[in-house]
Amino acid sequence: MVVGAIPFGIIFGALAINAGLSVAATIAMSLFVFAGSSQFVAAGLLTQGAGIVVIILTTFVVNLRHALYSASLGPYLSRLPQRWLMPLGFWLTDETYAVVVQRYARADESPFKHWYHLGSSVLMYGNWLLCTLIGMVAGTQLQGMANWGLEFAMVVTFIGIVVPLLRNLPMLLCAVVAGSISFLLREWPNQLGLMVAALAGIAAAMVVDGASRYTRVSKSAGSAS
């Protein structure tokens, strides 16, 4: 996951500097926002002269998927105090979610899985900050970095995140529906198509899962009678 994020962070640092953002603003975005896709969107909107309300709304929509991640992790973190929940919530990324949700789901009785979560979070955060700095330096020396195709590493990373989670029909259907709708709605403004696609994928998975449960219950009832 870290390897896949390296070129993504470097590209952000380079693009931000070449787009006219100051060094302080670029570093501050990685320090206090720490959300790759939202940072790219925000930097682009800033260079286009978009208003602050538009920028906040757009990045909010792009990051709504993190609410779904948090809901999924909620049952595992419900006993932790706020001093743990606040930093873990801030540091939550796609990559960290992908690895820690599998660790939490394991059947062992370890009471310290949140330390594993913290380790992943801090590593990804440090990696992102370092790569932003590298990109800022490289961006002032190398022109056209955005056209090198380095962002493909992030695509591969997301494939690596999603595919291992597709363990049954509802999960597979969720991915197919969400992917198809996000492609069809890719021209919607402010990345709204992403959230619509996510909700549609979840709804499709819930319908299929509910139907499967109903079928199993009905068969069990029929066998019992």
Side-chain angles (χ1 to χ4, degrees), residues 26-210:
T26 303
I27 295 175
M29 286 187 72
S30 288
L31 274 173
F32 302 116
V33 178
F34 187 46
S37 54
S38 291
Q39 289 180 224
F40 274 95
V41 171
L45 291 174
L46 283 170
T47 59
Q48 296 169 20
I52 187 66
V53 174
V54 173
I55 295 174
I56 292 175
L57 176 62
T58 303
T59 53
F60 175 76
V61 171
V62 170
N63 265 0
L64 274 176
R65 69 188 187 282
H66 289 274
L68 304 177
Y69 294 161
S70 300
S72 173
L73 292 174
Y76 303 112
L77 304 177
S78 59
R79 296 182 180 179
L80 293 180
Q82 286 295 320
R83 68 176 183 273
W84 273 95
L85 294 179
M86 293 297 286
L88 291 181
F90 170 72
W91 280 324
L92 183 61
T93 61
D94 304 286
E95 296 87 353
T96 289
Y97 172 79
V99 296
V100 302
V101 73
Q102 297 183 60
R103 179 69 184 94
Y104 281 126
R106 291 178 190 169
D108 62 274
E109 297 299 326
S110 172
F112 303 114
K113 293 181 181 180
H114 54 288
W115 283 97
Y116 179 91
H117 189 163
L118 179 65
S120 173
S121 299
V122 172
L123 179 60
M124 292 301 300
Y125 187 55
N127 175 68
W128 183 254
L129 295 177
L130 176 61
C131 290
T132 297
L133 293 172
I134 293 173
M136 289 166 54
V137 175
T140 60
Q141 304 296 325
L142 302 173
Q143 298 299 317
M145 261 189 90
N147 300 319
W148 290 8
L150 296 176
E151 67 275 9
F152 182 72
M154 204 60 187
V155 176
V156 175
T157 300
F158 272 96
I159 292 174
I161 290 173
V162 173
V163 171
L165 299 177
L166 305 181
R167 299 170 181 167
N168 52 46
L169 180 58
M171 291 180 177
L172 179 61
L173 183 64
C174 179
V176 171
V177 170
S180 300
I181 293 179
S182 65
F183 177 77
L184 293 174
L185 303 183
R186 64 189 183 280
E187 300 298 334
W188 278 29
N190 301 327
Q191 304 292 328
L192 289 173
L194 289 177
M195 200 59 202
V196 172
L199 294 174
I202 294 170
M206 290 181 65
V207 169
V208 172
D209 186 58

Side-chain angles (χ1 to χ4, degrees), residues 217-225:
V217 170
S218 298
K219 288 182 178 180
S220 299
S223 300
S225 62

